[in-house]
């Protein structure tokens, strides 16, 4: 936490700083990977939903056309 650094030499402080930088770099890389994976998953889900919407739109059009045909057959 930084409270006991006064007794360290310059070399020890530099080593500690290097360790902290390497650890921070590892954390940033892990965070970036997690975010990248989440983005890929959300894009995949978005594509699935888009395809489902297209399929539903096609079904709706088929039902609309069937309804039009049935209305033609019903006497007014």
């Amino acid at each position: 936490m930084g409270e006991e650094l006064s007794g360290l030499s310059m070399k020890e402080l530099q080593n500690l700083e290097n360790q902290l930088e390497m650890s921070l770099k590892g954390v940033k890389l892990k965070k970036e990977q997690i975010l990248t994976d989440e983005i890929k998953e959300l894009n995949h889900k978005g594509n699935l939903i888009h395809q489902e919407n297209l399929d539903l739109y096609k079904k709706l059009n088929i039902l609309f056309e069937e309804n039009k045909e049935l209305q033609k057959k019903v006497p007014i």
Side-chain angles (χ1 to χ4, degrees), residues 3 5 14 17 19 28 30 32 35 40 50 54-55 57-58 62 70 75:
E3 292 92 9
L5 297 178
Q14 286 174 334
E17 182 180 19
Q19 288 175 7
K28 286 181 178 180
K30 181 68 173 174
E32 184 179 313
L35 291 174
K40 286 179 184 177
H50 178 69
L54 290 175
D55 294 343
Y57 182 75
K58 288 176 187 176
I62 291 169
L70 286 172

Side-chain angles (χ1 to χ4, degrees), residues 9-23:
S9 69
M10 181 59 90
K11 185 166 180 71
E12 290 171 321
L13 287 171
Q14 286 174 334
N15 286 337
L16 182 58
E17 182 180 19
N18 289 338
Q19 288 175 7
L20 289 170
E21 286 176 358
M22 293 300 291
S23 294

Side-chain angles (χ1 to χ4, degrees), residues 43-64:
N43 281 332
H44 178 69
K45 286 180 181 179
N47 289 336
L48 291 175
I49 290 170
H50 178 69
Q51 186 59 49
E52 184 179 0
N53 282 342
L54 290 175
D55 294 343
L56 289 171
Y57 182 75
K58 288 176 187 176
K59 288 178 183 178
L60 183 61
N61 280 337
I62 291 169
L63 290 173
F64 180 73

Side-chain angles (χ1 to χ4, degrees), residues 25-41:
K25 184 178 180 181
V27 169
K28 286 181 178 180
L29 288 173
K30 181 68 173 174
K31 178 183 171 184
E32 184 179 313
Q33 184 62 51
I34 289 170
L35 291 174
T36 300
D37 292 345
E38 285 180 15
I39 289 169
K40 286 179 184 177
E41 180 65 24

